Amino acid sequence: MSQDGPVPAPRILVTGATGYIGGRLVPELLAAGHGVRCLARSPEKLRDHPWADRVEIVRGDVTAPDSLGPALRGIDVAYYLIHALGSGSRFEDTDRQAARTFSEQARAAGVRRIVYLGGLTPADVPESELSPHLRSRAEVGRIFLDSEVPSVVLRAAVVIGSGSASFEMLRHLTERLPVMVTPSWVRTRIQPIAVRDVLRYLLAFADRADDLNRGFDIGGPDVMTYRDMMRAYADVAGLKRRLILPVPVLTPGLSSHWIGLVTPVPRSIARPLTESLRHEVVCQEHDIARYAPDGPGRPLRFTEALELALRRIQEAQVATRWSSAALPGAPSDPLPTDPDWAGGSLYTDRRQIAVDASPQALWRVIEGIGGDNGWYSFPLAWAVRGWLDRLVGGVGLRRGRRDAQRLRVGDSLDFWRVEEIEPGQLLRLRAEMRLPGLAWLEMYAEQDGKGRTRYRQRALFHPRGLLGHLYWWSVAPFHAVVFGGMARNIARTAGRESNRKRLKATESN
């Protein structure tokens, strides 16, 4: 039961609820009075969302027919908001098979409509010449439209909203590079759309009773080049005018490396974004307005979308981020609780220290770690590790935090992912930097038998092959500085904050 009364029986399924768009669509559907079921490979990632107790969450995978049957049972409208990422043909095969499996299972379950958010494609470019990712999005849309379930396919170009990968790429390129030598794709015309309008269009098909089966181009009112977008961002953000010098020599591969170094968006995501930007993506029609009337001031202009996104970031109200979704190549294995996990090695670095503060004060420091607060030890070492990670295509340290004070399961935290939280007691992070193995970091706020506060810390590493073992022993000499310093500084910070509060309370009395 929610605070607002009985939860309606689910009649809408949302796939990709742990991602950027799906995580924002769910509360919109709930606000409109719909019963919602969420399909997730890792349901625990949705556990701490503010709407989690108002939806039904089921474990499943769109590539696994056995898990889709129960998830689609009793569903009228199914939102398909997931995409594979990667390189080569494998991700296209995954996308294709997942879409076919989903449409077949939806037909068998009696689903009335599938709603899919794909990519906007140029009208004058043969599909075979599209970037692999645009080509795959187009193919998935066609699979749904050709299926036996009536489908609505929405095709969007660049989505602008706080936390979207496209917005983060635009923001960091513009803020960090007052003079830019840029790829030729900065001259490509694009029709961006505000995330609010994307959600409004998606929501419009939640309760239609007809058998509509067609695709729609969706975009904002502005058609502009990427260079125009960067200059508009500089104006809205109050930055000096940016000097942008396009050159023809930066290929999509080189561009993705460059973006990976300058922005928080890792190469694995930057590459499909930049590959797609070589095509002009402009809406050929606006028929969507017949089914979702725009009204005054809608769709939002590009500068209005920017202003809203920046305001959300400044107010720390970013509901979802691109990094909420699992990244390509990131480990997804659960924490190894057995030291002999999988019959292999598990290296451990343990630290514990007494803290002159309450467990609650210590927990506030633990939960606030990362992002602007840093990692409480040897900042240069963490910065170098972040740069090295980005050089090999990893996420680096620039993802930061979704919220400056609160964490929830599934949040990205620099180059970690929050795997488990026991409020006031345990924070467990799983590494998403590029490593020859799997790594976790655990932080505990505890009390001993005499009521004294204790901070306990555990770093774990499960090596992969000989390189993994060599990696551990090569960095082990630095653990006393990095992990030991972290434990000492977290304890000191908690004690200092606790003393400050005690002193303030004494002065007020």
Side-chain angles (χ1 to χ4, degrees):
M1 298 286 286
S2 72
Q3 295 179 348
D4 298 323
V7 177
R11 52 174 296 274
I12 292 179
L13 177 73
V14 177
T15 67
T18 58
Y20 178 72
I21 295 293
R24 293 185 175 220
L25 178 62
V26 170
E28 296 288 332
L29 290 166
L30 292 171
H34 298 293
V36 177
R37 179 182 297 155
C38 297
L39 176 73
R41 286 184 298 177
S42 302
E44 59 274 8
K45 289 185 179 181
L46 298 175
R47 185 188 67 195
D48 298 325
H49 283 252
W51 40 260
D53 64 338
R54 301 173 57 202
V55 302
E56 180 187 345
I57 301 173
V58 297
R59 185 184 300 275
D61 190 322
V62 293
T63 61
D66 291 345
S67 67
L68 282 178
L72 288 163
R73 190 174 299 124
I75 293 298
D76 292 328
V77 180
Y79 284 89
Y80 193 87
L81 304 174
I82 54 179
H83 303 298
L85 282 172
S87 57
S89 61
R90 186 173 179 181
F91 85 91
E92 292 186 78
D93 293 339
T94 301
D95 262 349
R96 181 183 306 113
Q97 186 56 46
R100 287 174 177 166
T101 301
F102 192 83
S103 61
E104 289 166 1
Q105 292 297 315
R107 177 194 57 77
V111 172
R112 287 196 303 103
R113 174 175 292 116
I114 294 172
V115 182
Y116 169 62
L117 178 62
L120 187 60
T121 56
D124 57 348
V125 178
E127 193 170 300
S128 60
E129 296 179 17
L130 294 175
S131 71
H133 290 265
L134 277 185
R135 184 170 63 239
S136 182
R137 304 301 180 258
E139 183 182 14
V140 169
R142 190 169 59 254
I143 288 171
F144 287 137
L145 291 173
D146 291 343
S147 73
E148 297 182 47
V149 180
S151 299
V152 169
V153 174
L154 304 183
R155 298 178 289 254
V158 172
V159 177
I160 301 298
S162 56
S164 76
S166 297
F167 173 76
E168 292 294 329
M169 192 171 90
L170 172 68
R171 177 164 78 104
H172 286 86
L173 284 176
T174 309
E175 289 183 351
R176 292 175 176 169
L177 298 174
V179 178
M180 287 174 269
V181 176
T182 58
S184 58
W185 49 252
V186 297
R187 301 193 190 99
T188 304
R189 294 201 316 155
I190 305 164
Q191 192 163 351
I193 182 170
V195 67
R196 291 193 180 194
D197 288 310
V198 173
L199 296 172
R200 181 168 59 88
Y201 293 144
L202 286 168
L203 190 64
F205 297 99
D207 52 11
R208 292 190 62 86
D210 55 30
D211 293 332
L212 181 69
N213 187 74
R214 64 158 293 181
F216 297 94
D217 293 349
I218 60 172
D222 302 297
V223 176
M224 54 208 313
T225 66
Y226 205 87
R227 177 166 51 187
D228 295 333
M229 291 166 62
M230 288 190 284
R231 286 177 171 162
Y233 180 93
D235 289 341
V236 171
L239 304 173
K240 292 182 179 178
R241 185 175 178 82
R242 271 30 190 168
L243 180 60
I244 301 169
L245 306 172
V247 295
V249 295
L250 286 176
T251 65
L254 289 174
S255 295
S256 63
H257 280 285
W258 170 62
I259 290 168
L261 288 173
V262 176
T263 81
V265 181
R267 190 175 69 210
S268 56
I269 291 179
R271 176 143 194 164
L273 290 177
T274 54
E275 284 179 336
S276 300
L277 286 171
R278 74 173 188 256
H279 303 296
E280 182 174 284
V281 280
V282 177
C283 295
Q284 301 301 306
E285 42 84 13
H286 189 57
D287 295 349
I288 189 74
R290 291 163 48 193
Y291 303 90
D294 289 325
R298 288 300 185 97
L300 292 174
R301 300 196 67 85
F302 178 71
T303 53
E304 293 173 316
L306 287 180
E307 289 167 355
L308 283 169
L310 286 170
R311 189 185 312 157
R312 288 288 185 181
I313 290 171
Q314 292 161 0
E315 295 173 355
Q317 293 181 348
V318 182
T320 59
R321 300 182 64 184
W322 60 270
S323 51
S324 301
L327 298 176
S332 58
D333 303 70
L335 178 78
T337 54
D338 186 345
D340 298 320
W341 179 70
S345 301
L346 185 67
Y347 293 115
T348 306
D349 180 278
R350 291 183 173 89
R351 311 277 167 174
Q352 73 175 37
I353 190 169
V355 182
D356 182 23
S358 66
Q360 294 79 15
L362 174 58
W363 176 252
R364 284 194 292 271
V365 177
I366 292 173
E367 193 176 13
I369 201 166
D372 292 339
N373 292 329
W375 291 87
Y376 294 99
S377 72
F378 204 180
L380 179 60
W382 286 93
V384 169
R385 185 64 184 87
W387 271 101
L388 290 174
D389 192 53
R390 297 194 73 78
L391 282 172
V392 296
V395 297
L397 283 173
R398 289 184 179 149
R399 289 193 302 184
R401 298 171 53 107
R402 176 190 56 84
D403 184 287
Q405 296 178 313
R406 298 285 178 264
L407 292 174
R408 64 191 184 200
V409 171
D411 274 359
S412 59
L413 182 59
D414 293 328
F415 48 39
W416 303 88
R417 174 84 57 182
V418 179
E419 186 169 87
E420 184 57 84
I421 295 179
E422 295 177 13
Q425 300 178 56
L426 164 68
L427 173 63
R428 178 186 299 147
L429 307 175
R430 185 183 73 242
E432 288 192 339
M433 72 280 279
R434 294 298 177 94
L435 291 170
L438 304 171
W440 295 264
L441 178 63
E442 292 180 332
M443 290 168 274
Y444 296 83
E446 300 177 330
Q447 279 188 318
D448 62 19
K450 297 182 179 179
R452 296 171 299 194
T453 302
R454 177 179 62 187
Y455 172 70
R456 186 160 62 89
Q457 178 179 292
R458 189 167 70 137
L460 304 102
F461 182 67
H462 178 73
R464 185 182 298 116
L466 178 61
L467 184 60
H469 292 276
L470 292 174
Y471 172 82
W472 174 264
W473 290 112
S474 68
V475 299
F478 303 101
H479 285 175
V481 175
V482 176
F483 291 130
M486 176 187 293
R488 290 190 297 273
N489 289 328
I490 285 176
R492 287 192 193 114
T493 301
R496 191 164 52 244
E497 292 298 319
S498 186
N499 288 335
R500 184 179 296 123
K501 287 192 173 183
R502 283 197 293 263
L503 180 60
K504 189 173 181 180
T506 300
E507 291 174 347
S508 64
N509 292 330

